[in-house]
């Protein structure tokens, strides 16, 4: 379909409420295709609807970045059911360009989400997949990865982002 403009930090749509999806329609199908096209073009391993300016509870994850269609995970109305353990790895976000920090995330997650046809299923992920599922579900709750940093690191990173944006980096 089409590659959409990415919404960057500072845009209120990243922090807005996202509407629950209640029907599987042409609009939902088109949104999912646009999310995948935009995610692959970026390139990134995941993208949430508010990042292309659509405040609906829809996101995609594709650790293969377009190489393997079977790796595509569509998340409609995702909810994290349970988490286990901890991992701390470097993470970034297409809405916060050129900023990467080590973020603590669960080592494993179980997510309940519907697919494009609104069939609800549970998705289990560990490692990078757990990180991506957490990161994209966070977006639908208005949470950015920087919000997951702790203490001084969080303050310094927010300041860095504000400075970059003020300088016109995006
Ligand atoms: Ni992100």
């Amino acid at each position: 379909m089409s590659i959409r403009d990415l919404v960057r930090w500072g845009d209120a749509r990243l922090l807005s409420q996202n509407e629950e999806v209640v029907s599987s329609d042409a609009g939902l199908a088109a949104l999912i295709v646009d999310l995948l096209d935009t995610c692959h073009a970026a390139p990134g391993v995941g993208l949430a609807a508010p990042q292309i300016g659509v405040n609906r509870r829809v996101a995609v994850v594709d650790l293969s970045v377009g190489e393997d269609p079977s790796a595509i995970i569509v998340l409609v109305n995702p909810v994290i059911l349970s988490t286990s353990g901890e991992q701390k790895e470097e993470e970034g976000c297409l809405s916060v360009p050129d900023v990467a920090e080590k973020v603590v995330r669960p080592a494993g997650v179980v997510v309940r989400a519907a697919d494009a046809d609104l069939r609800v299923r549970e998705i289990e992920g560990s490692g990078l997949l757990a990180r991506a599922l957490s990161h994209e579900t966070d977006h639908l709750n208005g949470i950015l990865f920087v919000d997951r940093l702790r203490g001084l690191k969080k303050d310094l990173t927010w300041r860095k982002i504000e400075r970059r944006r003020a300088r016109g980096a995006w």
Side-chain angles (χ1 to χ4, degrees):
M1 284 255 186
S2 56
I3 297 167
R4 307 270 293 262
D5 287 338
L6 284 167
V7 169
R8 299 281 161 77
W9 181 80
D11 188 310
R13 290 172 293 181
L14 285 180
L15 306 179
S16 298
Q17 287 260 355
N18 294 293
E19 253 178 68
E20 198 86 5
V21 175
V22 292
S23 67
S24 173
D25 50 28
L28 177 64
L31 172 60
I32 290 167
V33 172
D34 284 358
L35 280 170
L36 286 167
D37 286 350
T38 308
C39 181
H40 293 155
V45 297
L47 195 65
Q51 294 183 277
I52 58 169
V54 178
N55 286 116
R56 300 182 78 187
R57 300 187 68 80
V58 182
V60 297
V61 168
D62 179 5
L63 297 189
S64 83
V65 198
E67 290 298 310
D68 174 9
S70 72
I72 292 172
I73 299 173
V74 174
L75 301 166
V76 176
N77 304 330
V79 176
I80 305 240
L81 293 182
S82 64
T83 65
S84 58
E86 239 182 46
Q87 56 172 319
K88 189 177 183 185
E89 298 293 339
E90 196 153 276
E91 193 169 318
C93 177
L94 295 173
S95 293
V96 190
D98 302 320
V99 176
E101 295 294 340
K102 287 200 165 193
V103 184
V104 177
R105 295 275 185 189
V109 297
V110 179
V111 177
R112 186 181 61 216
D115 64 13
D117 299 314
L118 293 196
R119 285 183 298 241
V120 177
R121 77 277 200 225
E122 287 183 13
I123 301 151
E124 221 178 307
S126 61
L128 181 59
L129 182 57
R131 174 171 296 281
L133 292 168
S134 309
H135 181 116
E136 300 312 329
T137 303
D138 268 359
H139 269 298
L140 300 181
N141 297 320
I143 298 168
L144 298 178
F145 79 96
V146 191
D147 296 312
R148 296 282 182 199
L149 297 174
R150 292 166 184 182
L152 186 60
K153 191 81 199 167
K154 184 176 184 168
D155 296 343
L156 290 173
T157 304
W158 275 130
R159 257 184 264 165
K160 183 160 85 181
I161 292 167
E162 279 161 14
R163 270 202 312 273
R164 290 178 54 86
R165 184 165 179 261
R167 280 205 311 266
W170 64 83

